[in-house]
Amino acid sequence: HSGLVHPWGALLHEGVLYVSDVGGASEEQPGRVVAIDASESLARIGSFGTGHLRLPAGLALLPARDDGSAELIVADHGAHCLRAFALPPSGGQGRAALPSDEPSRVIGGCGRAPGLFHAPVGVAVGRDRTIFVSEFSGR
C-alpha cells in the first residue's frame, strides 16, 4: 500500500489490516502503525517520540475481555518495550476501529531483568492471554 516506508509486521483483525511501519526512523518519516480497512483508507496509529512508537516491529492481538475491547500489542524495538492500544469493537463491518494515538499502557522497558526487554522484534499471544516476546538479542 502506498505511503508505507518500511513495513515490518502485519495483523488482520475484523477485516482491518494493521501494519507496523518502521518508517525512516526520523521526525519526517516516523515509525507508526497503519490500519487499512475494506475501503483501503489509511489511518495512522501512534507517532514518533517519547510516549509514542519509535521503531514498531511485531504485532499481536490480545483478545477482548468482557467489555468487548481488544488490544493491539506493538513490539517497539526502538523503545525496548511493548505498547498496547485499545481497539474498540468495529462491529465486523470491515471498517477500521481506530484506537487513540496514545497507547493505553506500556509493558516493560529497557533491561535484562524479567519483564524488561532489549530490542523486542516479535510478539505473540497465547490462548490464556500470555504475551510472548522475542528480542533482537536472542532472548
Side-chain angles (χ1 to χ4, degrees):
H1 193 280
S2 65
L4 297 174
V5 178
H6 189 106
W8 187 310
L11 173 79
L12 184 63
H13 175 63
E14 294 187 359
V16 178
L17 180 64
Y18 296 91
V19 180
S20 62
D21 183 12
V22 173
S26 68
E27 295 276 343
E28 293 78 33
Q29 292 182 319
R32 62 190 178 157
V33 173
V34 297
I36 304 167
D37 67 17
S39 68
E40 294 187 14
S41 59
L42 188 66
R44 178 176 162 158
I45 302 170
S47 59
F48 187 83
T50 304
H52 298 283
L53 298 170
R54 294 246 177 102
L55 294 174
L59 302 175
L61 179 73
L62 191 60
R65 292 189 184 216
D66 295 336
D67 67 359
S69 66
E71 284 184 304
L72 177 67
I73 307 295
V74 181
D76 194 336
H77 179 82
H80 307 284
C81 66
L82 304 180
R83 298 192 192 276
F85 293 87
L87 292 175
S90 71
Q93 301 298 317
R95 293 276 183 219
L98 298 177
S100 166
D101 279 345
E102 294 287 329
S104 54
R105 62 188 171 127
V106 176
I107 303 166
C110 187
R112 300 265 180 211
L116 299 177
F117 307 109
H118 181 258
V121 291
V123 60
V125 175
R127 290 179 193 225
D128 64 352
R129 298 176 51 91
T130 299
I131 299 172
F132 298 92
V133 180
S134 62
E135 300 174 301
F136 192 71
S137 63
R139 291 194 311 153

